[in-house]
Amino acid sequence: MHIKFPGKMEKILQYLKLKMLPNTLFFRTMLLIFVPLILVQVVSVYAFFNGNWEKVGKRLSDNLSNNIAVAIEMTGKNPSLLPEIQQVYENEYNMEFELITGDEQLAVKTNTHYGKEYKIVTGFLEESLHKKFPQAITSVYLMNGRDDVVVLVEMQSGLYRFKTSTKKIFSSSIFGFVAWMVSTSLLLFLVATLFLRIQVRSIATLAQVAEDFGKGINTPFKPYGSSEVRKAGIAFIKMKERIQKQISERTQMLAGVSHDLRTPLTRMRLQLAMLPDSPDNKEFVEDIGEMEKMLDGYLAFVSGEGGEKNTFVDMNELILSIINKFRNTKAMIRYSTNDQVSAIQGREQALKRAVTNIISNAFNYGKTIAVALESNNNKLEITVDDDGPGIPPEKREEVFKAFYRLDESRNKETGGVGLGLSIARDIITSHGGKIELTDSELGGLRVLISIPL
């Protein structure tokens, strides 16, 4: 179900989706796991603070406030019993307190040994003291690295100073709770990451094998992973076997057709050689030659060099070997390369045939030819420019059709049957690349071949 938004809102959402969401399946799945996990952590900690943490903190603070109130009340009624009360509190409650009077009160209140306020620890106690002593001035401080808490209660009788352990008002269970949640979450995240890597690796392997098959590389593959991925892998293997079987049967059938057609053509040529020369016989011989040429071109087109194995091909050396065949022609040729990566994995004879067809066309229709080889980490590009008549933009896609020829610039005298570009595109496409026709800076046609590395 897709919710429709206004045009501008839809564009904004699409932009945010492209910029913020990860592209790979692994990170998208991890996002689906990680975001709910963080939300659960936040909600759990919030619920703990509002529930158990708050209740325990208030109860401990109220108990300490009550003990302080009892000590102040007992001391106020019986000042002479102050030493005994101090001893009882120190033994029973582990709390030290003293009554400070006179000028010493100011010195105690301005004592620099007290630490800064730490509301997460002292907040509940401060609220409890304000309720217990609404008329008095109360202060709460931490000292000794927050191990001890100091409470100052300023009464009319003097300044009471209480000192006890921070554990009396603060429960450290929050740290154990958070540590337990974080550790279990990290363990879950680690397990999910390892599991997803295995699942995503099987999908990535299947995608790579499918891409290699599209380039003509027969990579061994054994399905693994989840049942859905294995099912997709098995379906791919069956599809690949069917395609390879169809290609093999087509090649065998065409080999038989070639043999059956060449035999009568050869007999006809021999019979014509035995007849006296005449204009009619000469035209008949030319027709037979044209038929043989068309038959050879057709068989080359549909066979597609399918039996050749893949190897690493140095395209720089391959192009130089092709150009050297045309050095003695009247046309001028220039070749340039950036001397970067030039080796690709492919079928050497098929690639040589495709590039030869392109360069041969340039020599047939141009006087100046420029060939360039550019490459980087992603793709290899071969550019062939000529100063010939070129091809009209509206017909640049049609020339890749089998047996299609331009009447004005391609004719029988050139020796072509309309299969050169078709064969070249078929070979380049089988290597995962593409061919584009554009205008050349030399005034003719530019052929751009792109092959991924």
Side-chain angles (χ1 to χ4, degrees):
M1 181 179 179
H2 179 72
I3 301 175
K4 292 185 178 180
F5 294 96
K8 292 184 178 180
M9 181 64 70
E10 190 74 23
K11 291 182 180 179
I12 294 174
L13 292 175
Q14 188 69 19
Y15 176 81
L16 293 176
K17 180 180 179 182
L18 293 175
K19 292 296 182 181
M20 298 181 65
L21 285 180
N23 296 324
T24 62
L25 175 62
F26 175 77
F27 286 106
R28 286 192 176 189
T29 308
M30 291 307 299
L31 191 64
L32 292 175
I33 297 175
F34 191 69
V35 171
L37 193 62
I38 292 296
L39 291 177
V40 170
Q41 300 281 351
V42 172
V43 171
S44 300
V45 172
Y46 179 78
F48 182 81
F49 266 99
N50 284 349
N52 184 52
W53 169 258
E54 185 175 1
K55 291 179 180 178
V56 172
K58 286 184 177 181
R59 183 173 300 174
L60 292 174
S61 298
D62 290 341
N63 290 336
L64 183 58
S65 297
N66 291 331
N67 292 336
I68 292 174
V70 171
I72 293 174
E73 184 179 359
M74 292 174 62
T75 303
K77 291 180 179 180
N78 301 290
S80 60
L81 297 178
L82 178 60
E84 288 81 358
I85 298 173
Q86 290 176 329
Q87 188 66 36
V88 170
Y89 265 70
E90 185 174 355
N91 295 335
E92 298 296 331
Y93 301 109
N94 192 24
M95 179 189 301
E96 300 176 4
F97 83 93
E98 57 183 330
L99 176 60
I100 304 169
T101 58
D103 296 336
E104 294 182 4
Q105 297 184 44
L106 181 60
V108 172
K109 289 191 291 185
T110 58
N111 194 326
T112 56
H113 295 290
Y114 296 138
K116 295 182 179 180
E117 296 181 354
Y118 195 50
K119 294 296 183 181
I120 193 173
V121 178
T122 63
F124 294 130
L125 179 59
E126 291 175 355
E127 293 179 3
S128 180
L129 289 172
H130 288 318
K131 293 179 181 180
K132 185 64 67 174
F133 306 100
Q135 304 300 326
I137 299 175
T138 59
S139 302
V140 181
Y141 302 95
L142 297 178
M143 61 183 302
N144 297 331
R146 298 174 185 170
D147 290 335
D148 296 327
V149 58
V150 175
V151 179
L152 301 180
V153 182
E154 190 173 355
M155 306 289 288
Q156 293 181 354
S157 57
L159 178 64
Y160 288 88
R161 180 180 182 272
F162 293 86
K163 178 184 176 183
T164 187
S165 174
T166 308
K167 296 180 180 179
K168 296 283 184 147
I169 61 170
F170 179 75
S171 175
S172 60
S173 60
I174 179 63
F175 299 117
F177 176 73
V178 173
W180 177 79
M181 290 187 62
V182 171
S183 60
T184 53
S185 299
L186 289 177
L187 180 60
L188 175 62
F189 187 77
L190 178 62
V191 173
T193 301
L194 295 176
F195 176 76
L196 281 175
R197 281 192 178 277
I198 297 174
Q199 299 303 316
V200 173
R201 190 185 300 121
S202 61
I203 299 176
T205 302
L206 177 60
Q208 184 62 47
V209 171
E211 184 178 356
D212 291 344
F213 181 67
K215 296 178 182 180
I217 304 172
N218 190 14
T219 304
F221 173 66
K222 182 178 180 180
Y224 68 96
S226 62
S227 59
E228 292 83 1
V229 177
R230 291 198 303 270
K231 187 176 181 180
I234 294 172
F236 168 76
I237 293 175
K238 292 181 179 179
M239 179 193 69
K240 184 176 73 171
E241 292 175 350
R242 288 194 298 267
I243 293 175
Q244 291 176 335
K245 183 178 180 181
Q246 290 175 357
I247 294 174
S248 177
E249 291 177 351
R250 184 187 67 172
T251 303
Q252 293 177 0
M253 180 189 67
L254 292 173
V257 171
S258 173
H259 180 270
D260 293 341
L261 290 178
R262 288 180 186 278
T263 300
L265 287 175
T266 303
R267 286 202 305 265
M268 293 170 64
R269 182 182 289 276
L270 291 175
Q271 291 174 359
L272 288 173
M274 299 174 62
L275 297 176
D277 293 337
S278 66
D280 293 336
N281 290 345
K282 185 177 180 181
E283 293 181 0
F284 198 16
V285 171
E286 292 178 354
D287 289 339
I288 293 176
E290 185 68 22
M291 292 174 63
E292 290 179 339
K293 187 182 297 183
M294 292 181 64
L295 180 61
D296 292 338
Y298 176 71
L299 292 175
F301 171 69
V302 295
S303 62
E305 306 290 346
E308 187 180 359
K309 294 183 178 180
N310 284 276
T311 58
F312 280 97
V313 183
D314 190 329
M315 295 302 296
N316 184 36
E317 294 183 359
L318 185 143
I319 294 174
L320 286 174
S321 66
I322 296 173
I323 292 176
N324 288 333
K325 296 180 180 179
F326 297 93
R327 289 294 186 186
N328 297 327
T329 60
K330 296 180 180 180
M332 182 181 70
I333 184 170
R334 300 194 305 267
Y335 175 61
S336 62
T337 178
N338 63 356
D339 294 328
Q340 297 295 324
V341 179
S342 63
I344 63 173
Q345 190 174 11
R347 304 187 301 277
E348 182 175 4
Q349 294 303 317
L351 289 170
K352 187 173 184 179
R353 184 177 183 189
V355 178
T356 300
N357 288 350
I358 301 299
I359 297 179
S360 177
N361 282 344
F363 272 97
N364 288 335
Y365 307 110
K367 299 298 182 182
T368 302
I369 293 91
V371 181
L373 174 64
E374 300 289 336
S375 61
N376 51 41
N377 294 329
N378 297 322
K379 63 181 178 179
L380 182 143
E381 292 184 345
I382 303 172
T383 305
V384 181
D385 293 285
D386 64 58
D387 59 351
I391 298 176
E394 65 274 7
K395 294 186 178 181
R396 287 175 182 171
E397 186 61 31
E398 295 182 5
V399 296
F400 288 106
K401 297 179 180 179
F403 301 106
Y404 182 86
R405 293 161 38 154
L406 295 173
D407 295 335
E408 296 180 356
S409 60
R410 269 68 169 172
N411 50 56
K412 292 182 179 181
E413 281 71 20
T414 64
V417 294
L419 289 173
L421 290 176
S422 300
I423 294 173
R425 170 179 269 190
D426 183 63
I427 293 173
I428 298 301
T429 302
S430 68
H431 285 79
K434 61 180 180 179
I435 296 182
E436 297 177 344
L437 304 181
T438 58
D439 294 326
S440 172
E441 296 179 355
L442 301 179
L445 180 68
R446 165 173 286 186
V447 182
L448 175 62
I449 301 175
S450 300
I451 302 175
L453 294 177

